[in-house]
Each structure stands twice: as structure tokens, then as C-alpha cells.
Amino acid sequence: MIIDSHVHLPVFEDASLSMQKIRLHADMKNNNVGKCIVISDSELTSVIGTMDECVDLFYDDENVYVVGGISPFFDFEIQLEKLERYLIEKKAVGIKLFPGHESFYLTDERLGPVYILAKKYDVPVLFHSGWDNSEYSAADIVAQTAEKYSGTKIVCCHCLYPNINDCLALTKYENLYFDLSSVADDRNTFLQIKDDITALITAAPDRVIFGSDYACCNQKEHIDAIMGLELTEEISNRVFCENARLLYHI
Ligand SMILES: [Zn+2]
């Protein structure tokens, strides 16, 4: 089975939340994706769904799980309390931070309660990395965070794209995971970085998980790209399914 551990609600004209849910399920079926994790926005209104909207849409869905986005800029304390309730009720399976999309560093002192909450409920903290404004979650900052919160599982989304190679030195932090979302966004770049991706998977076969960034990126292209890496069947099964299953308890 394929688990896509990094998707967002699709955005299209005149879409309602229930239509977005239907389209997500249709695309999962077309692409042979058995389960996925929808990451909500951290903002309080959003076309890709707020934390509350995503939880309401999927809390009783057998195949779709929710990671709640949170931000020190948007009702932080209220949202964090709500998120704790969702974690207790198992309506959320992780927490997402957006350094780079938002101007705070992964090491920002205000985020302490987020890492502590994640540890308490044994769910991961995901963060945006790479792309534009990558300094907010650059490799040295990731290293500091992984070390300071060594009891919290932390997921580096996009693997510092396109500098996948910089993840290799970070694999020594056993609480640090890597999700492959958006790495196959551009065909030419992918050809340049595919050996680095294989090296990362080889260095941490239990901590690299498949994700596509569906809705922002093409799910099928991501599946085909990672399938094309010539991983052994056992490693491929870990990356596409088992690692996410264990990390997110799904
Ligand atoms: Zn994303």
C-alpha cells in the first residue's frame, strides 16, 4: 500500500470543502494511494482548510488523517489548546510549522510548547524546509532543534529542497525524519538530485517517508519518480508505507 504522508486539500474554482474531499479521494483512488495525511493551514481562514475544517472533514475517515498547522502569529495559545484536544481525541496525528512561509525560525523560543506537546502525545512536529526563505529552517537550525528536543520526533518536509545532500549529515539525529514531498516537482532538478535522495534513503531507511505535496505538486509524478529510484522491495515498502505507519500510528 502507498501512504502519501504529505497532501493538502485541492484548490479549484467554486470548491466547497466537501467537494475538495471528494476530489482528494478520487485522485487517491486513481493514483493507487491507500491512505494519506492532509496538512491543514496554520491560518484562521484558508482555501486549503484550517485545522478545524480539516478535522471536521476527516475525523471519521478511515483513510485520511490530519496534521494540524499552527503558528506563533495566529491565536497561538488558543490553537495549541485546541490541538491538544484533537490529539487526545485522535483527530490529529501531528503538528505542522511553516518557517519560511512565515517569518519565524524553527528554533524560535515561542515554539517550545509545540515540541513538548508533540512529545507528550508521541506525534511528530513537521516543518517546511528548503525552497524560498530557506534560512528559517536551514540545516544548522534543524540540527539545533533536533538536539534540543531529542525526545520529540521531527519531520523535515521537502528535505531542504533542492539541497537534499545537506540532509545526510542530519541523519545522525535519530528523532529526525525526512518527507519526500515536492522533491519531484521539477523534472530536470529531480534528475540532478535523485542520487542524493537515494543516498538519504540508504543512510536512514527507517526515517524517510513518501509524500507528494499533492495539490501543490503532482501525486502521480512523485510516486513514479520515487518508484524509479531502484530501491529494494523491502526499502521501498518502508518508504512508501511502513515508516509513515509507525511514525503517525496509522
Ligand atoms: Zn505541503
Side-chain angles (χ1 to χ4, degrees):
M1 179 174 63
I2 296 174
I3 299 175
D4 188 337
S5 60
H6 189 134
V7 312
H8 302 283
L9 282 180
V11 178
F12 51 95
E13 215 179 320
D14 297 329
S16 64
L17 286 162
S18 59
M19 285 159 70
Q20 289 173 290
K21 179 178 178 174
I22 289 167
R23 181 166 297 185
L24 170 65
H25 272 292
D27 285 335
M28 285 169 69
K29 197 170 175 216
N30 284 339
N31 296 330
N32 212 14
V33 170
K35 291 181 187 287
C36 75
I37 295 170
V38 168
I39 300 173
S40 85
D41 209 335
S42 58
E43 299 194 31
L44 305 177
T45 58
S46 171
V47 289
I48 62 161
T50 64
M51 177 165 69
D52 292 335
E53 287 169 340
C54 288
V55 165
D56 284 348
L57 263 186
F58 296 111
Y59 75 90
D60 59 350
D61 193 307
E62 279 181 9
N63 297 318
V64 181
Y65 303 84
V66 172
V67 160
I70 198 156
S71 164
F73 299 132
F74 309 121
D75 279 0
F76 184 57
E77 266 134 49
I78 295 168
Q79 292 296 93
L80 201 61
E81 253 176 51
K82 210 186 291 175
L83 186 51
E84 178 161 19
R85 251 193 3 253
Y86 290 147
L87 292 174
I88 291 168
E89 295 166 358
K90 309 242 182 261
K91 292 176 176 172
V93 297
I95 307 171
K96 174 85 185 278
L97 298 168
F98 296 88
H101 283 315
E102 298 168 17
S103 53
F104 65 82
Y105 287 86
L106 196 60
T107 42
D108 192 312
E109 296 265 314
R110 291 172 292 182
L111 301 175
V114 173
Y115 298 109
I116 291 163
L117 188 69
K119 182 182 175 186
K120 185 173 173 189
Y121 295 99
D122 189 23
V123 297
V125 175
L126 294 70
F127 66 93
H128 172 86
S129 78
W131 292 93
D132 303 326
N133 307 317
S134 57
E135 67 272 22
Y136 291 100
S137 49
D140 58 326
I141 286 176
V142 176
Q144 284 172 40
T145 309
E147 196 158 324
K148 183 170 180 186
Y149 298 103
S150 59
T152 303
K153 290 170 183 162
I154 298 171
V155 181
C156 177
C157 301
H158 321 312
C159 305
L160 310 176
Y161 183 86
N163 303 314
I164 313 296
N165 220 8
D166 291 347
C167 291
L168 269 187
L170 295 172
T171 57
K172 69 174 181 187
Y173 299 104
E174 301 218 336
N175 57 325
L176 193 59
Y177 293 71
F178 304 87
D179 103 23
L180 296 169
S181 56
S182 83
V183 300
D185 185 48
D186 178 86
R187 174 112 205 104
N188 288 331
T189 309
F190 183 76
L191 292 175
Q192 285 162 28
I193 62 176
K194 70 195 266 278
D195 289 347
D196 297 338
I197 295 170
T198 305
L200 176 62
I201 293 171
T202 306
D206 295 325
R207 289 182 283 123
V208 180
I209 54 183
F210 176 74
S212 67
D213 221 352
Y214 162 85
C216 300
C217 298
N218 186 299
Q219 192 172 48
K220 173 131 185 17
E221 276 172 22
H222 273 73
I223 294 168
D224 291 346
I226 305 303
M227 290 270 181
L229 291 180
E230 293 171 24
L231 305 170
T232 66
E233 198 181 322
E234 194 217 330
I235 301 279
S236 180
N237 186 43
R238 286 194 217 179
V239 170
F240 276 105
C241 181
E242 283 305 304
N243 294 346
R245 223 174 45 71
L246 293 171
L247 177 62
Y248 290 102
H249 310 292
I250 57 178

